[in-house]
Amino acid sequence: MIPLSWYLLLSAVLFCLGVAGFLIKRNLITVFMSIELMLNAVNLSFVTFAHQWHAVKGQIFVFFVMMVAAAEAAVGLAIIIAVFRVRQTLAVDRIDLMKL
Amino acid sequence: MNGSLDLLLIPVLPFAGFLLNGLLGRGLPKWLVGTIALLAPLASFAVVLRAALAVWGIGSTTPALPYVETCPIPWIDTGTLHIDFSFVLDQLSLVMLLIVTGVGFLIHIYSVGYMGEEEGYWRFFAYLNLFLFFMTVLVLGGNALLMFVGWEGVGLASYLLIGFWLHKKSAADAGYKAFIVNRIGDFGFLIGLFLLLANFGTLTFAEIASKLEANPGWQGGALTAIALCLLVGAAGKSAQLPLYVWLPDAMEGPTPVSALIHAATMVTAGVYMIVRTHFLFDRSPFALAVVAIVGAATALFAATIGLVQTDIKRVLAYSTVSQLGYMFLGCGVAAYSAAIFHLVTHAFFKALLFLSAGSVIHAMGGEQDMRKMGGLRKSLPVTFWCMTAAVLAIGGFFPFAGFFSKDAILYAAFLHGTGGKVLWFVGFVTALLTSFYMFRLWYLTFLGEPRSEAPHHHATPASMWSVCVILALLSIFGGWIGFGDGLGRLGAFLSPVTGIRAAETGAGNLELYLSIAAVAMAALGWWIADRLYRQRPQRPAELAASLVGPYRVLSNKYYVDEFYRATFVKPLMGISTYVLDWMVDKALLGGGVWVLAGIAKFFGAILQRWQSGNLRSYAGWLAAGAAAVLLFILLPWSSLLATWFGIHLNWGGH
C-alpha cells in the first residue's frame, strides 16, 4: 500500500510544475496546457482525500472539475486560434492589447 | 354679463401673445406674428375700456371701486401670512391701465412699421407683449408683493429689449447697466417690503391703509424707514438721482421700446408706486421732503445735461429723467393727482416725441446725431407737425397737454410752505431749460438746411405716421382732462384714492399768475433757442468755445458715469477679480480640488505600473498571493500575529 503522502506529494509536484510552466513558458498553448496540469494535480489530491476518508463527495468534485476543464479547453482553444489569426503569433508577452 | 370685469384677462392676454410668439414665432410668417402681437394688447385694451365704461356708469353694472378680483388659488399661505393673486381696480389703476394698454397698443402698431425689416421680428413682439403682461400685473397688483413681481418683470422685459440688438456690444452693455442699476433700487424696494411685513403683518395695500387709519397718531419712525426704502426702489425704476444713469444708455434699444418702456410706462412705475403707497408717505414729512428734493434736483440736473447732448434720443432720455423729476416733485409736495396727471400727459407727448424721433431716424437711415440732420421739415411734414405739437406740449405752452399738468405740479409746490417756494423755483427754471433744449432739438432737426447728404429718405409707413397723429391729438387736447375748478376733472376722479388736500383746492388768481409766469419762461426758452439755432447758427459753437469748462462738464454729463466707475464699479471689479476670483475661487476652491486630484493621480501612477497588460505578470502576482496566504496559514508565528491583530481563522464554521 502506497502511503497517502506520496499521492499528495505527486499532486504538489504536478501543481508546481503547472504554475512554473504557466509563468515561464512563452507559447500560449503550453501555458494552456500548464493550466490543465494544475487542474489535474488538484483532481489527484481530491481523489486521494476521497479515498482516504471514504467520502464520495471528492470524486464527484473531480467530475465537475473535468467538465469545467473540457469547456474551458473548447473556449480557450477557440480564443487561441482567433488570437493567432489576428496577431500571427502565440507569444504571451506580445499579446498585450489591454495594456495602457 | 354677470357683472365681472374680467380683470384677470388684462394681463393674461398679452401673456398668451408672448407665449404664442415666443414659442412658435420663429416659424410663423411675419403677418401672423404681427397679428398676434397686435391682437393681444388690443383685446387687453378692450377689456380695460369696458371696465372704464362700467366705472363711468355706461354699461349694465356699475362696480363699486375699489373693485377686487382674487384668483381662487392662494399664492402664499403660511402661518399668519396670507397673500393672494389679487387684482384691484380703482381710479388710480384704471387711469394707469388706460395709459399702459392704450399707448402700448399704439406703439405696437408703430412697431409693425418700424421693426418691419428687422431680424428677430417675432422676438421683439414677444418681449413687447411680455412687457405689457408684467406692467399690467404691476398696475393691478392688490398687494405689494404682486406689484413687486410685475416690477421685476418689467425690469426683465426692459433688459431684454434694450439688448434687442444683441450683437451690438454697446446695446448689450446698456442692458446690463439697466439691469444692475435697477437691482440696486429693487434691493431698497425689497427691504421696504420686509419692513412693511414686520410692521403691519400684511402686504395688501388696503389693509395697510386701514391699519394706518386706525392709528392716526402713528408718524415717522418705522414709517419713514419704509417710505425711504420704497423711494430707493422708485428712484431706481424711475431713473431719479442718483440712480438715473441707466436710462440714457437704455436708448440703445429700438426706438419704440424707448417710447413705450423708457418714456411712457415703465419708468413711471416709481411714481405710480409712491402714489399707490401714499398713505405711508403722508405719515412721514421727512420722507416726503426727500422725495420732493430728489425730484426737483433730478429735474434740474437732467435738464442741464440735456442742453448740450447731440444724439436726438439722448436729449429725449434726459428730458424724460427731468420730467420724471417733476412727477416726483409733485409726489413730494403731496400733490399726487397732479403727479399722475403729469404722468398721463407725459406718456402722450413723450411717446410722441420718441416715435417722431424714430420716424426721423428711420428716414435718415439710422442716423441719430442731430448735427447731421436739419431741414427735414419738407421731407417729413407729418412728423414735423407731430413733433411741433409734442415740443409745445412738453415746453408747457397753453393750451397743450404739458401746460396743465406741469402747472398743477408747480402750483402745488408753490403752496407747500417756504421750502416749497424753493422747489417751485427749481421747477420754474427747469421749465425754461426744458423749453430751450426741446426747441434746440426742433430747430436742429427740422429747420435750417440739411447738414449731411442722407443716402435717401425712407418713406414713413402709414402705420407709423398715423400713430403719431393720434398721439399728437392727445398731446394737444389731453390736458383738458385735468382742467376744471379746484382739483380739476382728473384730480376729482382720483381723489378717492389720493385724498383731498386743502392746498390743492385753493383757487384764485395766484394760479393764473403762476401759469402766466411759467408760459413766459417757456417762451423765453423758445426765444433763446430761436436766437441761437435759427438766426445765428454759428453762435452755439462760439458759446461752447468761450465756455469750455461748463460745456465740457455738461457734455460729459457731470462725469457721473466716470465717478460711479471709479467709486463703485472699479472697486467691485477689483474685489471680484482679485479676492473672489483669484483668492477664493481659483486658489481656495480650485486649489483644493487640484490637491485632491493630485493625490489620486499620484497613487494612480504608482498602481498603474501593476496593470502591465502582461499576462504572466498577473499570473505571477496571483501565484505569489496564493503562496503568501498559504504561508500565513501554515507558519506558526503568522497565526500568532493573526490572533494579535484579532483575526480569527475559522475553518468549516466550528
Side-chain angles (χ1 to χ4, degrees):
Chain A
M1 181 78 179
I2 306 163
L4 184 69
S5 53
W6 287 66
Y7 291 100
L8 289 180
L9 205 63
L10 177 64
S11 165
V13 168
L14 285 174
F15 189 83
C16 288
L17 281 175
V19 169
F22 187 90
L23 293 180
I24 294 164
K25 298 304 281 188
R26 285 187 74 209
N27 190 308
L28 198 53
I29 293 184
T30 323
V31 169
F32 200 65
M33 286 163 67
S34 304
I35 295 173
E36 297 296 318
L37 191 59
M38 283 190 274
L39 285 171
N40 285 308
V42 173
N43 277 352
L44 182 59
S45 60
F46 267 128
V47 174
T48 310
F49 283 119
H51 180 76
Q52 175 70 20
W53 303 115
H54 302 289
V56 82
K57 264 195 258 177
Q59 301 197 10
I60 293 168
F61 241 108
V62 171
F63 284 105
F64 274 102
V65 173
M66 286 166 110
M67 202 176 68
V68 170
E72 186 219 331
V75 176
L77 282 171
I79 292 173
I80 288 171
I81 291 166
V83 167
F84 184 78
R85 280 192 183 149
V86 175
R87 308 279 304 201
Q88 297 299 321
T89 177
L90 283 179
V92 270
D93 43 5
R94 296 192 49 198
I95 304 169
D96 52 1
L97 277 176
M98 305 241 301
K99 200 173 165 180
L100 273 172
Chain B
M1 282 249 227
N2 50 10
S4 164
L5 295 178
D6 299 320
L7 293 184
L8 285 170
L9 278 181
I10 299 171
V12 163
L13 285 167
F15 192 66
F18 160 69
L19 284 183
L20 274 177
N21 271 340
L23 295 176
L24 310 171
R26 192 192 293 269
L28 294 181
K30 255 185 182 179
W31 64 268
L32 193 56
V33 171
T35 312
I36 293 169
L38 285 181
L39 277 180
L42 179 64
S44 192
F45 183 53
V47 176
V48 175
L49 264 188
R50 199 183 66 153
L53 292 178
V55 167
W56 281 310
I58 310 163
S60 52
T61 49
T62 306
L65 296 181
Y67 168 84
V68 184
E69 209 167 89
T70 306
C71 178
I73 308 157
W75 183 10
I76 297 173
D77 197 3
T78 54
T80 53
L81 181 63
H82 184 87
I83 297 173
D84 274 318
F85 292 104
S86 63
F87 293 125
V88 174
L89 185 80
D90 59 7
Q91 286 86 351
L92 176 61
S93 57
L94 180 60
V95 169
M96 197 73 184
L97 277 178
L98 283 170
I99 295 297
V100 169
T101 54
V103 175
F105 172 60
L106 289 177
I107 293 175
H108 272 73
I109 299 177
Y110 180 93
S111 307
V112 171
Y114 191 83
M115 302 298 286
E117 291 145 33
E118 290 294 334
E119 211 165 303
Y121 188 75
W122 59 278
R123 197 161 53 90
F124 180 81
F125 280 107
Y127 292 163
L128 222 50
N129 280 356
L130 180 69
F131 167 75
L132 273 187
F133 163 67
F134 280 123
M135 192 68 203
T136 46
V137 167
L138 190 163
V139 172
L140 279 170
N143 57 60
L145 201 59
L146 195 55
M147 185 188 228
F148 188 68
V149 169
W151 187 272
E152 291 296 309
V154 292
L156 169 71
S158 156
Y159 162 75
L160 290 171
L161 284 165
I162 293 170
F164 177 72
W165 285 308
L166 39 89
H167 301 298
K168 202 164 126 196
K169 183 163 184 337
S170 58
D173 286 347
Y176 286 145
K177 188 170 176 182
F179 204 72
I180 292 167
V181 174
N182 266 302
R183 285 290 77 64
I184 300 170
D186 295 347
F187 178 69
F189 192 174
L190 208 53
I191 299 289
L193 289 191
F194 293 140
L195 285 175
L196 272 179
L197 211 49
N199 282 288
F200 292 90
T202 175
L203 290 174
T204 312
F205 294 126
E207 285 176 27
I208 295 171
S210 65
K211 279 194 183 175
L212 275 175
E213 226 161 85
N215 283 310
W218 193 1
Q219 292 261 343
L223 296 180
T224 303
I226 295 171
L228 288 178
C229 284
L230 293 181
L231 171 64
V232 171
K237 191 61 79 192
S238 288
Q240 296 296 292
L241 281 175
L243 298 176
Y244 73 96
V245 286
W246 65 272
L247 187 57
D249 285 19
M251 296 301 127
E252 290 288 345
T255 305
V257 172
S258 310
L260 176 61
I261 300 183
H262 305 121
T265 53
M266 184 193 83
V267 287
T268 59
V271 180
Y272 175 78
M273 187 252 268
I274 291 182
V275 178
R276 174 59 75 203
T277 58
H278 72 93
F279 34 80
L280 290 165
F281 285 86
D282 281 342
R283 295 295 176 90
S284 170
F286 176 71
L288 266 186
V290 174
V291 173
I293 291 166
V294 164
T298 310
L300 184 64
F301 183 80
T304 53
I305 300 177
L307 294 179
V308 299
Q309 296 300 308
T310 52
D311 181 320
I312 186 167
K313 283 181 73 182
R314 279 188 181 255
V315 175
L316 295 178
Y318 281 107
S319 128
T320 305
V321 176
S322 175
Q323 298 299 312
L324 289 166
Y326 268 117
M327 295 175 211
F328 270 61
L329 173 56
C331 290
V333 295
Y336 302 112
S337 60
I340 292 295
F341 182 24
H342 196 54
L343 189 160
V344 172
T345 58
H346 176 259
F348 295 151
F349 61 68
K350 189 50 67 69
L352 175 57
L353 281 169
F354 268 110
L355 296 186
S356 304
S359 300
V360 169
I361 295 167
H362 188 80
M364 295 290 291
E367 182 56 61
Q368 300 194 7
D369 192 335
M370 292 193 298
R371 288 169 300 188
K372 294 180 183 155
M373 296 174 184
L376 290 175
R377 181 184 168 180
K378 291 185 196 77
S379 49
L380 299 169
V382 178
T383 309
F384 168 71
W385 286 111
C386 291
M387 187 69 118
T388 309
V391 166
L392 289 170
I394 191 176
F397 288 91
F398 183 82
F400 296 89
F403 165 78
F404 296 98
S405 55
K406 198 180 282 186
D407 208 50
I409 290 176
L410 289 179
Y411 178 57
F414 191 81
L415 294 179
H416 198 74
T418 329
K421 304 281 189 296
V422 179
L423 296 172
W424 169 82
F425 185 71
V426 172
F428 190 60
V429 173
T430 306
L432 167 72
L433 298 177
T434 308
S435 165
F436 171 74
Y437 66 65
M438 286 319 298
F439 276 103
R440 171 175 173 266
L441 180 149
W442 189 65
Y443 280 119
L444 281 176
T445 311
F446 289 105
L447 299 177
E449 293 303 314
R451 275 181 295 275
S452 73
E453 288 299 316
H456 61 285
H457 288 297
H458 297 263
T460 313
S463 61
M464 284 162 69
W465 63 256
S466 57
V467 169
C468 288
V469 169
I470 295 172
L471 283 170
L473 292 175
L474 286 170
S475 300
I476 296 170
F477 300 112
W480 294 100
I481 58 167
F483 188 71
D485 285 337
L487 285 165
R489 268 194 287 271
L490 184 73
F493 178 66
L494 287 173
S495 60
V497 181
T498 58
I500 302 170
R501 273 156 207 83
E504 278 181 88
T505 52
N509 288 335
L510 179 63
E511 185 168 11
L512 185 65
Y513 297 144
L514 287 177
S515 310
I516 292 170
V519 172
M521 279 302 252
L524 181 65
W526 185 357
W527 181 74
I528 298 172
D530 181 77
R531 294 271 304 176
L532 285 179
Y533 290 94
R534 190 174 69 85
Q535 297 179 10
R536 303 172 62 188
Q538 76 285 5
R539 185 78 184 118
E542 289 169 23
L543 259 182
S546 62
L547 296 167
V548 176
Y551 181 77
R552 191 176 297 154
V553 169
L554 284 183
S555 63
N556 284 299
K557 302 156 245 166
Y558 292 101
Y559 297 100
V560 170
D561 277 330
E562 286 75 5
F563 174 73
Y564 283 172
R565 182 161 302 132
T567 49
F568 299 111
V569 179
K570 275 266 173 68
L572 264 178
M573 296 279 269
I575 290 172
S576 301
T577 311
Y578 298 112
V579 178
L580 295 179
D581 185 23
W582 288 17
M583 283 167 65
V584 176
D585 193 59
K586 289 214 174 87
L588 218 64
L589 300 176
V593 170
W594 274 107
V595 166
L596 287 178
I599 292 170
K601 223 173 158 182
F602 174 72
F603 284 105
I606 293 172
L607 293 174
Q608 186 191 24
R609 298 180 176 276
W610 231 337
Q611 307 289 326
S612 61
N614 187 343
L615 188 61
R616 283 192 294 184
S617 86
Y618 294 149
W621 283 110
L622 202 68
V629 169
L630 211 62
L631 218 63
F632 184 76
I633 296 167
L634 291 182
L635 293 182
W637 58 264
S638 60
S639 58
L640 277 179
L641 207 67
T643 347
W644 192 65
F645 276 117
I647 301 170
H648 299 285
L649 301 171
N650 192 351
W651 304 99
H654 293 292

